[in-house]
Amino acid sequence: MRKQGSTLDIVQALYDKLQQVSDIVNAFEHRDVTATALWLDWLTNTSKQLKQFGFAESSAIAGIKADVLAKVAEKQSRKEKFVAMLATINPAQAIVLGLYTPLNEKVENVRTFLIQIINQINDAGLLQYDSDFEFTVFINSLFERLKNNEQLSSSINNAVSNLGHTDFLRILAEVVASITK
């Protein structure tokens, strides 16, 4: 796997894809005539998105789409096609979930770490944001202080290497904004 793009954006996109699955299953459950089209669209869009992010798993999703298309083209009863398509949902969503889970875990570990650190800094009265300064400047300054702190530097550098500099700063900004409300 060679991901391309922001880890936060990838995690959000994968989460969004997973959230769509229950609506598709509900469409099949209610015998909605658009269920097959919804599922094929999901497979197409998911494969395309995974390919854009650089995930080889895009080919597995495309393979599942090929299986669905083959079933649609076969001369079977509507019920047999329905059952065959339902059988492809779990493997497809499992592929996406398999990508989402470790990436989300990385993000949440960094978020939890930052919440703990920023809460301690705030409780000590050391988190002073002056609204005369741009928030981005404040976040970059805070990052530099965290990175240069003897006790925190290795953990900060590890978090940055796991997520990337920009994603780390985005999470830091989210955490600071939520704590200093």
Side-chain angles (χ1 to χ4, degrees):
M1 161 182 85
R2 188 166 186 243
K3 70 179 182 69
Q4 300 169 358
S6 160
T7 301
L8 294 176
D9 293 342
I10 292 170
V11 166
Q12 186 61 54
L14 294 174
Y15 177 82
D16 292 344
K17 287 295 173 194
L18 290 168
Q19 292 302 304
Q20 294 168 3
V21 172
S22 64
D23 292 335
I24 293 167
V25 170
N26 288 340
F28 277 110
E29 178 184 18
H30 295 109
R31 309 279 190 215
D32 188 328
V33 294
T34 64
T36 299
L38 287 172
W39 183 230
L40 284 168
D41 285 347
W42 187 91
L43 291 167
T44 300
N45 294 331
T46 301
S47 178
K48 187 183 301 183
Q49 200 163 43
L50 293 180
K51 186 176 179 180
Q52 287 172 339
F53 290 141
F55 290 112
E57 289 84 349
S58 66
S59 67
I61 298 292
I64 292 171
K65 178 184 174 186
D67 290 343
V68 169
L69 290 171
K71 288 295 177 190
V72 168
E74 284 180 7
K75 291 188 178 194
Q76 293 181 324
S77 70
R78 189 167 189 253
K79 182 178 181 179
E80 290 171 324
K81 289 180 182 183
F82 174 83
V83 170
M85 280 184 241
L86 280 176
T88 65
I89 292 175
N90 202 29
Q93 71 82 29
I95 291 167
V96 176
L97 186 62
L99 294 170
Y100 169 80
T101 301
L103 290 174
N104 186 58
E105 195 172 294
K106 275 186 188 181
V107 169
E108 290 308 313
N109 286 341
V110 170
R111 183 174 280 118
T112 300
F113 167 71
L114 285 175
I115 288 170
Q116 292 170 352
I117 297 303
I118 300 304
N119 271 327
Q120 289 176 3
I121 293 170
N122 191 44
D123 291 347
L126 301 173
L127 190 65
Q128 305 283 327
Y129 172 60
D130 183 353
S131 60
D132 291 339
F133 290 105
E134 204 175 308
F135 189 66
T136 305
V137 173
F138 173 73
I139 292 300
N140 284 320
S141 170
L142 178 59
F143 170 69
E144 288 301 320
R145 288 188 301 178
L146 294 173
K147 189 173 80 169
N148 293 326
N149 181 292
E150 272 183 44
Q151 296 166 332
L152 297 175
S153 64
S154 65
S155 296
I156 296 297
N157 289 330
N158 185 41
V160 170
S161 70
N162 275 334
L163 291 184
H165 184 77
T166 304
D167 284 341
F168 180 87
L169 290 178
R170 284 174 58 187
I171 294 173
L172 179 60
E174 289 172 14
V175 169
V176 168
S178 70
I179 289 174
T180 59
K181 281 185 187 176

PDB file of all heavy atoms in Angstrom, residues 29-47:
ATOM      1  N   GLU A  29     -33.036  -4.568   1.085  1.00  0.00           N
ATOM      2  CA  GLU A  29     -34.031  -5.125   2.005  1.00  0.00           C
ATOM      3  C   GLU A  29     -35.449  -4.713   1.618  1.00  0.00           C
ATOM      4  O   GLU A  29     -36.377  -5.511   1.701  1.00  0.00           O
ATOM      5  CB  GLU A  29     -33.727  -4.644   3.429  1.00  0.00           C
ATOM      6  CG  GLU A  29     -34.728  -5.129   4.459  1.00  0.00           C
ATOM      7  CD  GLU A  29     -34.478  -4.560   5.848  1.00  0.00           C
ATOM      8  OE1 GLU A  29     -33.763  -3.541   5.970  1.00  0.00           O
ATOM      9  OE2 GLU A  29     -35.025  -5.133   6.798  1.00  0.00           O
ATOM     10  N   HIS A  30     -35.597  -3.473   1.179  1.00  0.00           N
ATOM     11  CA  HIS A  30     -36.912  -2.977   0.806  1.00  0.00           C
ATOM     12  C   HIS A  30     -37.239  -3.227  -0.665  1.00  0.00           C
ATOM     13  O   HIS A  30     -38.189  -2.650  -1.198  1.00  0.00           O
ATOM     14  CB  HIS A  30     -37.024  -1.483   1.142  1.00  0.00           C
ATOM     15  CG  HIS A  30     -36.956  -1.234   2.610  1.00  0.00           C
ATOM     16  ND1 HIS A  30     -35.874  -0.646   3.213  1.00  0.00           N
ATOM     17  CD2 HIS A  30     -37.823  -1.537   3.614  1.00  0.00           C
ATOM     18  CE1 HIS A  30     -36.080  -0.578   4.514  1.00  0.00           C
ATOM     19  NE2 HIS A  30     -37.260  -1.120   4.785  1.00  0.00           N
ATOM     20  N   ARG A  31     -36.414  -4.050  -1.291  1.00  0.00           N
ATOM     21  CA  ARG A  31     -36.630  -4.430  -2.701  1.00  0.00           C
ATOM     22  C   ARG A  31     -36.714  -3.203  -3.612  1.00  0.00           C
ATOM     23  O   ARG A  31     -37.473  -3.179  -4.585  1.00  0.00           O
ATOM     24  CB  ARG A  31     -37.886  -5.283  -2.869  1.00  0.00           C
ATOM     25  CG  ARG A  31     -37.980  -6.466  -1.939  1.00  0.00           C
ATOM     26  CD  ARG A  31     -37.174  -7.606  -2.443  1.00  0.00           C
ATOM     27  NE  ARG A  31     -37.477  -8.809  -1.656  1.00  0.00           N
ATOM     28  CZ  ARG A  31     -36.599  -9.724  -1.367  1.00  0.00           C
ATOM     29  NH1 ARG A  31     -35.384  -9.629  -1.811  1.00  0.00           N
ATOM     30  NH2 ARG A  31     -36.930 -10.768  -0.664  1.00  0.00           N
ATOM     31  N   ASP A  32     -35.934  -2.204  -3.281  1.00  0.00           N
ATOM     32  CA  ASP A  32     -35.879  -0.977  -4.076  1.00  0.00           C
ATOM     33  C   ASP A  32     -35.295  -1.311  -5.447  1.00  0.00           C
ATOM     34  O   ASP A  32     -34.253  -1.963  -5.550  1.00  0.00           O
ATOM     35  CB  ASP A  32     -35.001   0.055  -3.364  1.00  0.00           C
ATOM     36  CG  ASP A  32     -35.027   1.425  -3.999  1.00  0.00           C
ATOM     37  OD1 ASP A  32     -35.178   1.516  -5.230  1.00  0.00           O
ATOM     38  OD2 ASP A  32     -34.879   2.407  -3.257  1.00  0.00           O
ATOM     39  N   VAL A  33     -35.950  -0.860  -6.496  1.00  0.00           N
ATOM     40  CA  VAL A  33     -35.495  -1.176  -7.861  1.00  0.00           C
ATOM     41  C   VAL A  33     -34.151  -0.516  -8.182  1.00  0.00           C
ATOM     42  O   VAL A  33     -33.469  -0.935  -9.116  1.00  0.00           O
ATOM     43  CB  VAL A  33     -36.543  -0.762  -8.928  1.00  0.00           C
ATOM     44  CG1 VAL A  33     -37.806  -1.598  -8.791  1.00  0.00           C
ATOM     45  CG2 VAL A  33     -36.846   0.720  -8.857  1.00  0.00           C
ATOM     46  N   THR A  34     -33.757   0.486  -7.397  1.00  0.00           N
ATOM     47  CA  THR A  34     -32.474   1.162  -7.640  1.00  0.00           C
ATOM     48  C   THR A  34     -31.317   0.543  -6.847  1.00  0.00           C
ATOM     49  O   THR A  34     -30.182   0.996  -6.954  1.00  0.00           O
ATOM     50  CB  THR A  34     -32.563   2.655  -7.277  1.00  0.00           C
ATOM     51  OG1 THR A  34     -32.797   2.780  -5.870  1.00  0.00           O
ATOM     52  CG2 THR A  34     -33.655   3.356  -8.063  1.00  0.00           C
ATOM     53  N   ALA A  35     -31.591  -0.493  -6.066  1.00  0.00           N
ATOM     54  CA  ALA A  35     -30.563  -1.079  -5.194  1.00  0.00           C
ATOM     55  C   ALA A  35     -29.342  -1.553  -5.985  1.00  0.00           C
ATOM     56  O   ALA A  35     -28.199  -1.274  -5.599  1.00  0.00           O
ATOM     57  CB  ALA A  35     -31.147  -2.225  -4.378  1.00  0.00           C
ATOM     58  N   THR A  36     -29.564  -2.233  -7.083  1.00  0.00           N
ATOM     59  CA  THR A  36     -28.446  -2.725  -7.889  1.00  0.00           C
ATOM     60  C   THR A  36     -27.625  -1.566  -8.437  1.00  0.00           C
ATOM     61  O   THR A  36     -26.390  -1.592  -8.387  1.00  0.00           O
ATOM     62  CB  THR A  36     -28.955  -3.614  -9.045  1.00  0.00           C
ATOM     63  OG1 THR A  36     -29.650  -4.735  -8.485  1.00  0.00           O
ATOM     64  CG2 THR A  36     -27.811  -4.110  -9.908  1.00  0.00           C
ATOM     65  N   ALA A  37     -28.288  -0.548  -8.918  1.00  0.00           N
ATOM     66  CA  ALA A  37     -27.579   0.623  -9.443  1.00  0.00           C
ATOM     67  C   ALA A  37     -26.795   1.322  -8.330  1.00  0.00           C
ATOM     68  O   ALA A  37     -25.654   1.750  -8.542  1.00  0.00           O
ATOM     69  CB  ALA A  37     -28.561   1.586 -10.095  1.00  0.00           C
ATOM     70  N   LEU A  38     -27.395   1.430  -7.158  1.00  0.00           N
ATOM     71  CA  LEU A  38     -26.701   2.038  -6.018  1.00  0.00           C
ATOM     72  C   LEU A  38     -25.436   1.258  -5.675  1.00  0.00           C
ATOM     73  O   LEU A  38     -24.378   1.833  -5.426  1.00  0.00           O
ATOM     74  CB  LEU A  38     -27.612   2.082  -4.785  1.00  0.00           C
ATOM     75  CG  LEU A  38     -28.750   3.080  -4.777  1.00  0.00           C
ATOM     76  CD1 LEU A  38     -29.656   2.847  -3.572  1.00  0.00           C
ATOM     77  CD2 LEU A  38     -28.192   4.497  -4.746  1.00  0.00           C
ATOM     78  N   TRP A  39     -25.567  -0.074  -5.667  1.00  0.00           N
ATOM     79  CA  TRP A  39     -24.428  -0.925  -5.325  1.00  0.00           C
ATOM     80  C   TRP A  39     -23.331  -0.822  -6.386  1.00  0.00           C
ATOM     81  O   TRP A  39     -22.152  -0.699  -6.060  1.00  0.00           O
ATOM     82  CB  TRP A  39     -24.886  -2.359  -5.114  1.00  0.00           C
ATOM     83  CG  TRP A  39     -23.789  -3.286  -4.678  1.00  0.00           C
ATOM     84  CD1 TRP A  39     -23.480  -4.493  -5.228  1.00  0.00           C
ATOM     85  CD2 TRP A  39     -22.860  -3.104  -3.597  1.00  0.00           C
ATOM     86  NE1 TRP A  39     -22.422  -5.058  -4.560  1.00  0.00           N
ATOM     87  CE2 TRP A  39     -22.024  -4.220  -3.550  1.00  0.00           C
ATOM     88  CE3 TRP A  39     -22.657  -2.087  -2.666  1.00  0.00           C
ATOM     89  CZ2 TRP A  39     -20.993  -4.369  -2.620  1.00  0.00           C
ATOM     90  CZ3 TRP A  39     -21.627  -2.228  -1.741  1.00  0.00           C
ATOM     91  CH2 TRP A  39     -20.817  -3.352  -1.721  1.00  0.00           C
ATOM     92  N   LEU A  40     -23.718  -0.840  -7.634  1.00  0.00           N
ATOM     93  CA  LEU A  40     -22.728  -0.711  -8.709  1.00  0.00           C
ATOM     94  C   LEU A  40     -22.042   0.660  -8.665  1.00  0.00           C
ATOM     95  O   LEU A  40     -20.824   0.749  -8.876  1.00  0.00           O
ATOM     96  CB  LEU A  40     -23.367  -0.953 -10.076  1.00  0.00           C
ATOM     97  CG  LEU A  40     -23.652  -2.415 -10.419  1.00  0.00           C
ATOM     98  CD1 LEU A  40     -24.541  -2.524 -11.651  1.00  0.00           C
ATOM     99  CD2 LEU A  40     -22.357  -3.184 -10.611  1.00  0.00           C
ATOM    100  N   ASP A  41     -22.805   1.700  -8.377  1.00  0.00           N
ATOM    101  CA  ASP A  41     -22.207   3.042  -8.225  1.00  0.00           C
ATOM    102  C   ASP A  41     -21.214   3.062  -7.070  1.00  0.00           C
ATOM    103  O   ASP A  41     -20.130   3.641  -7.180  1.00  0.00           O
ATOM    104  CB  ASP A  41     -23.286   4.101  -8.005  1.00  0.00           C
ATOM    105  CG  ASP A  41     -24.047   4.453  -9.261  1.00  0.00           C
ATOM    106  OD1 ASP A  41     -23.602   4.082 -10.366  1.00  0.00           O
ATOM    107  OD2 ASP A  41     -25.113   5.107  -9.133  1.00  0.00           O
ATOM    108  N   TRP A  42     -21.596   2.448  -5.958  1.00  0.00           N
ATOM    109  CA  TRP A  42     -20.711   2.405  -4.794  1.00  0.00           C
ATOM    110  C   TRP A  42     -19.419   1.685  -5.153  1.00  0.00           C
ATOM    111  O   TRP A  42     -18.328   2.171  -4.821  1.00  0.00           O
ATOM    112  CB  TRP A  42     -21.408   1.713  -3.619  1.00  0.00           C
ATOM    113  CG  TRP A  42     -20.633   1.779  -2.326  1.00  0.00           C
ATOM    114  CD1 TRP A  42     -20.746   2.740  -1.372  1.00  0.00           C
ATOM    115  CD2 TRP A  42     -19.638   0.863  -1.855  1.00  0.00           C
ATOM    116  NE1 TRP A  42     -19.883   2.474  -0.345  1.00  0.00           N
ATOM    117  CE2 TRP A  42     -19.188   1.325  -0.612  1.00  0.00           C
ATOM    118  CE3 TRP A  42     -19.082  -0.301  -2.371  1.00  0.00           C
ATOM    119  CZ2 TRP A  42     -18.206   0.669   0.143  1.00  0.00           C
ATOM    120  CZ3 TRP A  42     -18.099  -0.960  -1.633  1.00  0.00           C
ATOM    121  CH2 TRP A  42     -17.673  -0.472  -0.395  1.00  0.00           C
ATOM    122  N   LEU A  43     -19.546   0.554  -5.811  1.00  0.00           N
ATOM    123  CA  LEU A  43     -18.351  -0.213  -6.204  1.00  0.00           C
ATOM    124  C   LEU A  43     -17.473   0.595  -7.156  1.00  0.00           C
ATOM    125  O   LEU A  43     -16.249   0.637  -7.005  1.00  0.00           O
ATOM    126  CB  LEU A  43     -18.760  -1.548  -6.835  1.00  0.00           C
ATOM    127  CG  LEU A  43     -19.381  -2.568  -5.883  1.00  0.00           C
ATOM    128  CD1 LEU A  43     -20.020  -3.705  -6.670  1.00  0.00           C
ATOM    129  CD2 LEU A  43     -18.349  -3.092  -4.895  1.00  0.00           C
ATOM    130  N   THR A  44     -18.091   1.240  -8.130  1.00  0.00           N
ATOM    131  CA  THR A  44     -17.340   2.042  -9.106  1.00  0.00           C
ATOM    132  C   THR A  44     -16.613   3.189  -8.414  1.00  0.00           C
ATOM    133  O   THR A  44     -15.406   3.388  -8.611  1.00  0.00           O
ATOM    134  CB  THR A  44     -18.293   2.605 -10.180  1.00  0.00           C
ATOM    135  OG1 THR A  44     -18.920   1.512 -10.851  1.00  0.00           O
ATOM    136  CG2 THR A  44     -17.561   3.484 -11.174  1.00  0.00           C
ATOM    137  N   ASN A  45     -17.355   3.947  -7.622  1.00  0.00           N
ATOM    138  CA  ASN A  45     -16.774   5.112  -6.949  1.00  0.00           C
ATOM    139  C   ASN A  45     -15.723   4.726  -5.924  1.00  0.00           C
ATOM    140  O   ASN A  45     -14.694   5.400  -5.785  1.00  0.00           O
ATOM    141  CB  ASN A  45     -17.862   5.962  -6.301  1.00  0.00           C
ATOM    142  CG  ASN A  45     -18.780   6.583  -7.327  1.00  0.00           C
ATOM    143  OD1 ASN A  45     -18.378   6.859  -8.452  1.00  0.00           O
ATOM    144  ND2 ASN A  45     -20.030   6.793  -6.955  1.00  0.00           N
ATOM    145  N   THR A  46     -15.966   3.637  -5.219  1.00  0.00           N
ATOM    146  CA  THR A  46     -14.999   3.187  -4.218  1.00  0.00           C
ATOM    147  C   THR A  46     -13.712   2.723  -4.886  1.00  0.00           C
ATOM    148  O   THR A  46     -12.611   3.075  -4.453  1.00  0.00           O
ATOM    149  CB  THR A  46     -15.603   2.067  -3.353  1.00  0.00           C
ATOM    150  OG1 THR A  46     -16.788   2.575  -2.720  1.00  0.00           O
ATOM    151  CG2 THR A  46     -14.628   1.591  -2.291  1.00  0.00           C
ATOM    152  N   SER A  47     -13.840   1.950  -5.951  1.00  0.00           N
ATOM    153  CA  SER A  47     -12.652   1.494  -6.679  1.00  0.00           C
ATOM    154  C   SER A  47     -11.849   2.676  -7.204  1.00  0.00           C
ATOM    155  O   SER A  47     -10.620   2.727  -7.083  1.00  0.00           O
ATOM    156  CB  SER A  47     -13.068   0.573  -7.827  1.00  0.00           C
ATOM    157  OG  SER A  47     -11.935   0.162  -8.561  1.00  0.00           O
TER     158      SER A  47
END
